[in-house]
């Protein structure tokens, strides 16, 4: 399709459904790439495109974010500045209309601020985490510092997930970098750097045993202290969910503010944390079997 004909079609877009028709038209001229192929391309090129968000944009269930649309255009090799502008202008019109409707609905629904007690939970329920891993059908993400207390408990369940061909991504901090020093400060004197490095080494050794199961498990290390721990279950699917536990200075590990995101309910915020994980994952270094760090004596 020529740039002019696509720009003409885009200039008429006012609704989510109209934008979805243009997206389907674009994809049909790009070989009808599957949502999984687009998602994989996005991860490889640091242009996150959750397949469920793409599916919503393609069907008209929900408009894409600006970044998601730009990532899709890059995947489809749409490079002409005028055509990109036509897409963004169409998206702006759709979002302005949707934003007005959302504000009107919120004004009707909200009579008082929501209490933090209705948003945050306290306990880190490892039984629930293992249950969600057992239910996962496509992918599990685990992002933390050392995941010191989690990996030993869920090791068996990770093995079962890998046997079901569920892909597992584990993202931890680099044992020899600045992130470990910051973690030792944040964890407080009860832990200490040496003990934290020992726990990380133990968990990496356990994960090494799972690396031998095949190609389903990927482990990466990064010199970055995450502000939260993230567990994601089928993040690319429509029924995906995430649990995030905020970092804290000292204090009890099991009593940290925790909140849950559900893809169907929290679409745009879900995509935000999806993109955060993907960006750090792409900046991290793959961990390979036999690469265990030296444990301080």
């Amino acid at each position: 399709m020529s740039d002019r004909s696509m720009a003409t079609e885009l200039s008429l877009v006012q609704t989510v459904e109209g934008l979805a028709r243009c997206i389907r038209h674009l994809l049909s001229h790009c070989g009808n790439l599957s949502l999984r192929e687009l998602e994989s391309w996005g991860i490889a090129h640091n242009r996150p495109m959750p397949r469920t968000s793409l599916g919503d944009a393609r069907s008209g269930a929900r408009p894409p974010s600006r970044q998601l649309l730009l990532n899709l255009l890059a995947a489809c090799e749409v490079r002409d500045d005028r055509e990109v502008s036509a897409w963004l202008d169409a998206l702006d019109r759709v979002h302005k209309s949707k934003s007005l409707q959302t504000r009107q609905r919120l004004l009707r629904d909200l009579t008082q601020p929501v209490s933090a007690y209705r948003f945050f939970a306290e306990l880190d329920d490892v039984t629930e985490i293992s249950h969600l891993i057992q239910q996962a059908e496509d992918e599990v993400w685990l992002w933390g510092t050392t995941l010191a207390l989690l990996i030993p408990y869920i090791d068996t369940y990770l093995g079962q997930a890998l046997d079901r061909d569920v892909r597992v991504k584990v993202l931890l901090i680099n044992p020899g970098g600045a992130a470990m020093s910051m973690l030792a400060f944040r964890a407080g004197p009860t832990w200490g750097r040496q003990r934290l490095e020992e726990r990380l080494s133990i968990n990496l050794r356990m994960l090494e045993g799972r690396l031998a199961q095949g190609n389903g498990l990927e482990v990466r290390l990064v010199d970055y202290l995450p502000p939260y721990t993230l567990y994601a279950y089928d993040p690319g699917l429509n029924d995906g969910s995430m649990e995030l536990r905020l970092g804290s200075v000292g204090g009890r590990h099991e009593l940290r503010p925790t909140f849950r995101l559900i893809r169907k309910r929290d679409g745009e915020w879900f995509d935000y944390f999806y993109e955060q994980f993907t960006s750090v994952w792409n900046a991290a270094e793959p961990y390979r079997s036999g690469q265990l760090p030296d444990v301080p004596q």
Side-chain angles (χ1 to χ4, degrees):
M1 174 180 289
S2 68
D3 291 349
R4 173 175 294 182
S5 61
M6 198 68 201
T8 300
E9 185 177 354
L10 288 164
S11 69
L12 302 176
V13 169
Q14 299 291 335
T15 65
V16 177
E17 293 77 12
L19 183 62
R21 284 194 296 272
C22 291
I23 290 174
R24 292 194 295 271
H25 204 168
L26 173 67
L27 292 174
S28 70
H29 285 267
C30 295
N32 281 318
L33 293 171
S34 70
L35 298 181
R36 181 181 286 277
E37 288 173 324
L38 289 166
E39 182 181 48
S40 298
W41 185 94
I43 291 174
H45 292 82
N46 202 20
R47 287 183 171 273
M49 291 187 288
R51 83 188 76 148
T52 303
S53 300
L54 288 171
D56 285 350
R58 186 180 63 180
S59 68
R62 187 167 65 95
S65 66
R66 180 183 178 91
Q67 190 58 56
L68 180 63
L69 180 59
L70 288 172
N71 293 347
L72 177 61
L73 295 178
C76 294
E77 299 184 349
V78 177
R79 301 189 180 94
D80 183 86
D81 290 341
R82 292 172 300 175
E83 189 174 3
V84 171
S85 294
W87 278 99
L88 295 179
D89 289 345
L91 179 64
D92 285 343
R93 291 193 298 273
V94 171
H95 274 302
K96 286 178 181 177
S97 175
K98 181 175 179 290
S99 177
L100 178 60
Q101 295 171 2
T102 300
R103 286 198 300 270
Q104 291 172 340
R105 176 178 57 80
L106 289 175
L107 287 174
R108 290 195 304 268
D109 295 345
L110 295 180
T111 58
Q112 60 183 4
V114 176
S115 167
Y117 287 101
R118 294 180 59 186
F119 182 71
F120 288 119
E122 292 181 344
L123 297 179
D124 187 9
D125 190 342
V126 291
T127 301
E128 183 183 12
I129 293 170
S130 63
H131 180 65
L132 290 168
I133 291 174
Q134 289 176 292
Q135 289 184 321
E137 299 177 357
D138 179 64
E139 199 164 23
V140 172
W141 294 351
L142 304 173
W143 179 18
T145 54
T146 66
L147 297 181
L149 303 180
L150 180 69
I151 295 296
Y153 186 89
I154 65 170
D155 176 63
T156 299
Y157 304 108
L158 289 180
Q160 293 171 354
L162 293 169
D163 285 339
R164 300 196 314 273
D165 294 325
V166 173
R167 293 172 296 169
V168 178
K169 289 183 171 71
V170 180
L171 181 57
L172 303 171
I173 64 172
N174 192 312
M180 182 59 76
S181 298
M182 288 187 284
L183 175 61
F185 171 80
R186 193 172 77 178
T190 302
W191 281 87
R193 177 164 182 151
Q194 179 173 334
R195 185 181 175 195
L196 289 167
E197 289 182 335
E198 289 172 351
R199 292 304 310 181
L200 178 57
S201 180
I202 290 170
N203 284 347
L204 288 173
R205 192 177 300 280
M206 295 186 73
L207 291 169
E208 278 207 4
R210 297 302 174 190
L211 287 171
Q213 280 190 240
N215 298 321
L217 172 64
E218 292 182 81
V219 180
R220 294 192 181 185
L221 304 178
V222 66
D223 193 17
Y224 169 69
L225 185 67
Y228 46 74
T229 299
L230 181 151
Y231 311 136
Y233 314 98
D234 293 332
L237 302 186
N238 192 44
D239 59 352
S241 65
M242 291 183 186
E243 182 177 305
L244 294 100
R245 295 174 52 72
L246 303 185
S248 60
V249 178
R252 293 170 57 185
H253 169 81
E254 70 276 13
L255 295 180
R256 289 160 51 194
T258 300
F259 61 95
R260 172 69 55 82
L261 295 174
I262 300 172
R263 174 65 183 78
K264 291 179 181 178
R265 182 191 66 195
D266 308 304
E268 293 181 6
W269 282 116
F270 193 96
D271 286 353
Y272 171 84
F273 287 103
Y274 179 107
E275 292 169 4
Q276 288 289 294
F277 176 89
T278 302
S279 296
V280 180
W281 179 261
N282 285 330
E285 293 292 331
Y287 176 83
R288 308 191 187 284
S289 183
Q291 191 187 328
L292 278 170
D294 293 331
V295 178
Q297 300 299 322

